[in-house]
Amino acid sequence: MADFGSNLKKLRAQKEVSQGELADMIGVHPAHISRYERNQASPSVEVVKKIADALKVSADELIYGDAQ
């Protein structure tokens, strides 16, 4: 099972959204996105929901990865 950071990085890349663009979309500093992707910080549930909405994916997909 992939970790949150790997899932975030993969989904963000698939959507062709930069860290800076995602940060702007959810109202955080780009450094936060970088820390999440490197598993140096864990986002709050509220931030996970904002990221999922911004990337148009489910929170489950973001947290747990592909169920396949």
Side-chain angles (χ1 to χ4, degrees):
M1 179 172 80
D3 55 59
F4 178 83
S6 298
N7 292 335
L8 172 56
K9 188 172 185 174
K10 181 185 78 166
L11 291 167
R12 183 180 58 73
Q14 285 174 353
K15 303 290 183 174
E16 298 182 347
V17 175
S18 73
Q19 288 182 347
E21 289 168 337
L22 179 58
D24 286 344
M25 292 164 82
I26 67 167
V28 301
H29 193 277
H32 290 306
I33 304 301
S34 177
R35 285 196 286 270
Y36 298 152
E37 289 187 358
R38 290 179 286 137
N39 292 305
Q40 293 181 335
S42 296
S44 67
V45 172
E46 181 180 321
V47 171
V48 170
K49 176 79 171 106
K50 287 180 180 180
I51 293 170
D53 289 348
L55 295 178
K56 296 180 174 54
V57 298
S58 70
D60 280 350
E61 187 175 0
L62 194 55
I63 295 166
Y64 302 111
D66 293 332
Q68 301 164 348

